[in-house]
Amino acid sequence: MNKAYRVGDALPPLEIPVTRTLIVAGAIASRDYQDVHHDAELAREKGSPDIFMNILTTNGLVGRYITYHFGPAAVLRKVAIRLGAPNYPGDVMRLSGRITSLEDGEHPLIEVAVVGDNRIGRHVSGKVTVAIAITREGGA
């Protein structure tokens, strides 16, 4: 690896404003046409105060957080997340992470524990495993 990572290293946090457009666009992009992700009136009829983000959008944002930090040589190998409190329009999701394990080799693997909180509480938690591609010169 070009950069020396250590178990326990914290990744800088990333704040993502949760807009109505982000929620609807994420649902459409992931072909999730459930009304609770785009129709506020129907979401309220089903007991939600508003539309809310789907898990596939959250999964994509977690992946973005990790690959942004580790750079273009990063390849997601595993993303295992759990949802908690919903992300509603007007929330800000704050993602943070900490390296929990490292595995050297031809394609070094880094495992990161990730959490994402909003005004209600913990929106997402999980672990992401990322491989760092090594070039022939030995750098990432």
Side-chain angles (χ1 to χ4, degrees), residues 59-78:
N59 195 68
L61 293 171
V62 167
R64 168 189 160 202
Y65 172 60
I66 297 298
T67 56
Y68 181 80
H69 176 75
F70 290 103
V75 178
L76 297 176
R77 293 290 185 212
K78 182 178 180 183

mmCIF file of all heavy atoms in Angstrom, residues 59-78:
data_model
loop_
_atom_site.group_PDB
_atom_site.id
_atom_site.type_symbol
_atom_site.label_atom_id
_atom_site.label_comp_id
_atom_site.label_asym_id
_atom_site.label_seq_id
_atom_site.Cartn_x
_atom_site.Cartn_y
_atom_site.Cartn_z
ATOM 1 N N ASN A 59 -26.729 2.320 0.627
ATOM 2 C CA ASN A 59 -25.613 1.442 0.263
ATOM 3 C C ASN A 59 -24.658 2.164 -0.694
ATOM 4 O O ASN A 59 -23.434 2.112 -0.529
ATOM 5 C CB ASN A 59 -26.154 0.161 -0.375
ATOM 6 C CG ASN A 59 -25.134 -0.928 -0.448
ATOM 7 O OD1 ASN A 59 -24.725 -1.460 0.566
ATOM 8 N ND2 ASN A 59 -24.741 -1.277 -1.661
ATOM 9 N N GLY A 60 -25.211 2.841 -1.682
ATOM 10 C CA GLY A 60 -24.388 3.588 -2.629
ATOM 11 C C GLY A 60 -23.625 4.724 -1.971
ATOM 12 O O GLY A 60 -22.457 4.976 -2.287
ATOM 13 N N LEU A 61 -24.263 5.416 -1.033
ATOM 14 C CA LEU A 61 -23.587 6.517 -0.339
ATOM 15 C C LEU A 61 -22.475 6.008 0.572
ATOM 16 O O LEU A 61 -21.419 6.641 0.687
ATOM 17 C CB LEU A 61 -24.606 7.350 0.443
ATOM 18 C CG LEU A 61 -25.600 8.123 -0.433
ATOM 19 C CD1 LEU A 61 -26.701 8.735 0.422
ATOM 20 C CD2 LEU A 61 -24.894 9.174 -1.267
ATOM 21 N N VAL A 62 -22.688 4.865 1.198
ATOM 22 C CA VAL A 62 -21.623 4.258 2.009
ATOM 23 C C VAL A 62 -20.444 3.885 1.103
ATOM 24 O O VAL A 62 -19.286 4.157 1.427
ATOM 25 C CB VAL A 62 -22.154 3.033 2.791
ATOM 26 C CG1 VAL A 62 -21.007 2.219 3.378
ATOM 27 C CG2 VAL A 62 -23.101 3.482 3.894
ATOM 28 N N GLY A 63 -20.731 3.284 -0.041
ATOM 29 C CA GLY A 63 -19.670 2.947 -0.998
ATOM 30 C C GLY A 63 -18.926 4.181 -1.475
ATOM 31 O O GLY A 63 -17.694 4.178 -1.584
ATOM 32 N N ARG A 64 -19.661 5.241 -1.755
ATOM 33 C CA ARG A 64 -19.038 6.505 -2.172
ATOM 34 C C ARG A 64 -18.104 7.025 -1.078
ATOM 35 O O ARG A 64 -16.987 7.485 -1.361
ATOM 36 C CB ARG A 64 -20.125 7.535 -2.458
ATOM 37 C CG ARG A 64 -19.612 8.942 -2.619
ATOM 38 C CD ARG A 64 -20.756 9.938 -2.692
ATOM 39 N NE ARG A 64 -20.266 11.254 -2.368
ATOM 40 C CZ ARG A 64 -21.020 12.242 -1.946
ATOM 41 N NH1 ARG A 64 -22.304 12.077 -1.802
ATOM 42 N NH2 ARG A 64 -20.495 13.402 -1.660
ATOM 43 N N TYR A 65 -18.543 6.964 0.157
ATOM 44 C CA TYR A 65 -17.739 7.438 1.287
ATOM 45 C C TYR A 65 -16.404 6.691 1.348
ATOM 46 O O TYR A 65 -15.336 7.301 1.496
ATOM 47 C CB TYR A 65 -18.541 7.252 2.582
ATOM 48 C CG TYR A 65 -17.780 7.528 3.851
ATOM 49 C CD1 TYR A 65 -17.220 8.775 4.108
ATOM 50 C CD2 TYR A 65 -17.640 6.542 4.828
ATOM 51 C CE1 TYR A 65 -16.549 9.035 5.287
ATOM 52 C CE2 TYR A 65 -16.974 6.797 6.008
ATOM 53 C CZ TYR A 65 -16.423 8.037 6.236
ATOM 54 O OH TYR A 65 -15.748 8.289 7.405
ATOM 55 N N ILE A 66 -16.455 5.387 1.221
ATOM 56 C CA ILE A 66 -15.239 4.569 1.313
ATOM 57 C C ILE A 66 -14.321 4.803 0.116
ATOM 58 O O ILE A 66 -13.118 5.032 0.268
ATOM 59 C CB ILE A 66 -15.601 3.074 1.435
ATOM 60 C CG1 ILE A 66 -16.376 2.808 2.729
ATOM 61 C CG2 ILE A 66 -14.354 2.199 1.344
ATOM 62 C CD1 ILE A 66 -15.636 3.109 4.004
ATOM 63 N N THR A 67 -14.857 4.746 -1.097
ATOM 64 C CA THR A 67 -14.002 4.900 -2.283
ATOM 65 C C THR A 67 -13.457 6.319 -2.404
ATOM 66 O O THR A 67 -12.351 6.506 -2.908
ATOM 67 C CB THR A 67 -14.733 4.492 -3.577
ATOM 68 O OG1 THR A 67 -15.929 5.249 -3.713
ATOM 69 C CG2 THR A 67 -15.044 3.006 -3.560
ATOM 70 N N TYR A 68 -14.207 7.299 -1.950
ATOM 71 C CA TYR A 68 -13.690 8.664 -1.965
ATOM 72 C C TYR A 68 -12.469 8.766 -1.059
ATOM 73 O O TYR A 68 -11.472 9.386 -1.405
ATOM 74 C CB TYR A 68 -14.771 9.659 -1.532
ATOM 75 C CG TYR A 68 -14.300 11.091 -1.551
ATOM 76 C CD1 TYR A 68 -14.239 11.806 -2.736
ATOM 77 C CD2 TYR A 68 -13.897 11.727 -0.380
ATOM 78 C CE1 TYR A 68 -13.794 13.114 -2.768
ATOM 79 C CE2 TYR A 68 -13.450 13.043 -0.398
ATOM 80 C CZ TYR A 68 -13.398 13.732 -1.590
ATOM 81 O OH TYR A 68 -12.953 15.024 -1.613
ATOM 82 N N HIS A 69 -12.545 8.125 0.105
ATOM 83 C CA HIS A 69 -11.428 8.192 1.048
ATOM 84 C C HIS A 69 -10.196 7.445 0.523
ATOM 85 O O HIS A 69 -9.081 7.951 0.595
ATOM 86 C CB HIS A 69 -11.827 7.629 2.408
ATOM 87 C CG HIS A 69 -10.676 7.599 3.369
ATOM 88 N ND1 HIS A 69 -10.197 8.730 3.985
ATOM 89 C CD2 HIS A 69 -9.869 6.592 3.775
ATOM 90 C CE1 HIS A 69 -9.163 8.420 4.737
ATOM 91 N NE2 HIS A 69 -8.939 7.127 4.639
ATOM 92 N N PHE A 70 -10.380 6.237 0.016
ATOM 93 C CA PHE A 70 -9.236 5.408 -0.383
ATOM 94 C C PHE A 70 -8.779 5.656 -1.812
ATOM 95 O O PHE A 70 -7.728 5.172 -2.209
ATOM 96 C CB PHE A 70 -9.549 3.925 -0.152
ATOM 97 C CG PHE A 70 -9.604 3.569 1.305
ATOM 98 C CD1 PHE A 70 -10.818 3.383 1.944
ATOM 99 C CD2 PHE A 70 -8.445 3.445 2.058
ATOM 100 C CE1 PHE A 70 -10.884 3.068 3.289
ATOM 101 C CE2 PHE A 70 -8.497 3.139 3.403
ATOM 102 C CZ PHE A 70 -9.713 2.949 4.023
ATOM 103 N N GLY A 71 -9.543 6.391 -2.598
ATOM 104 C CA GLY A 71 -9.098 6.815 -3.913
ATOM 105 C C GLY A 71 -9.449 5.868 -5.041
ATOM 106 O O GLY A 71 -10.099 4.841 -4.853
ATOM 107 N N PRO A 72 -8.979 6.215 -6.250
ATOM 108 C CA PRO A 72 -9.365 5.478 -7.452
ATOM 109 C C PRO A 72 -8.849 4.042 -7.504
ATOM 110 O O PRO A 72 -9.342 3.242 -8.302
ATOM 111 C CB PRO A 72 -8.795 6.318 -8.593
ATOM 112 C CG PRO A 72 -7.726 7.155 -7.967
ATOM 113 C CD PRO A 72 -8.126 7.354 -6.531
ATOM 114 N N ALA A 73 -7.889 3.697 -6.677
ATOM 115 C CA ALA A 73 -7.380 2.317 -6.664
ATOM 116 C C ALA A 73 -8.230 1.416 -5.766
ATOM 117 O O ALA A 73 -7.998 0.213 -5.699
ATOM 118 C CB ALA A 73 -5.928 2.299 -6.182
ATOM 119 N N ALA A 74 -9.232 1.979 -5.096
ATOM 120 C CA ALA A 74 -10.066 1.217 -4.172
ATOM 121 C C ALA A 74 -11.168 0.473 -4.922
ATOM 122 O O ALA A 74 -11.829 1.029 -5.791
ATOM 123 C CB ALA A 74 -10.688 2.151 -3.146
ATOM 124 N N VAL A 75 -11.345 -0.789 -4.560
ATOM 125 C CA VAL A 75 -12.405 -1.623 -5.130
ATOM 126 C C VAL A 75 -13.202 -2.207 -3.972
ATOM 127 O O VAL A 75 -12.634 -2.889 -3.111
ATOM 128 C CB VAL A 75 -11.818 -2.762 -6.000
ATOM 129 C CG1 VAL A 75 -12.929 -3.655 -6.534
ATOM 130 C CG2 VAL A 75 -10.967 -2.194 -7.126
ATOM 131 N N LEU A 76 -14.504 -1.942 -3.952
ATOM 132 C CA LEU A 76 -15.343 -2.497 -2.893
ATOM 133 C C LEU A 76 -15.445 -4.001 -3.068
ATOM 134 O O LEU A 76 -15.789 -4.492 -4.143
ATOM 135 C CB LEU A 76 -16.739 -1.879 -2.934
ATOM 136 C CG LEU A 76 -16.814 -0.385 -2.677
ATOM 137 C CD1 LEU A 76 -18.242 0.103 -2.849
ATOM 138 C CD2 LEU A 76 -16.293 -0.038 -1.294
ATOM 139 N N ARG A 77 -15.143 -4.754 -2.031
ATOM 140 C CA ARG A 77 -15.239 -6.218 -2.058
ATOM 141 C C ARG A 77 -16.487 -6.710 -1.340
ATOM 142 O O ARG A 77 -17.064 -7.706 -1.721
ATOM 143 C CB ARG A 77 -13.998 -6.862 -1.436
ATOM 144 C CG ARG A 77 -12.753 -6.652 -2.234
ATOM 145 C CD ARG A 77 -12.836 -7.454 -3.514
ATOM 146 N NE ARG A 77 -11.591 -7.346 -4.233
ATOM 147 C CZ ARG A 77 -11.502 -7.367 -5.535
ATOM 148 N NH1 ARG A 77 -12.568 -7.503 -6.275
ATOM 149 N NH2 ARG A 77 -10.338 -7.264 -6.112
ATOM 150 N N LYS A 78 -16.870 -6.004 -0.273
ATOM 151 C CA LYS A 78 -18.049 -6.415 0.485
ATOM 152 C C LYS A 78 -18.614 -5.196 1.202
ATOM 153 O O LYS A 78 -17.870 -4.429 1.808
ATOM 154 C CB LYS A 78 -17.675 -7.493 1.500
ATOM 155 C CG LYS A 78 -18.849 -8.008 2.301
ATOM 156 C CD LYS A 78 -18.412 -9.107 3.262
ATOM 157 C CE LYS A 78 -19.595 -9.614 4.062
ATOM 158 N NZ LYS A 78 -19.181 -10.619 5.042
#
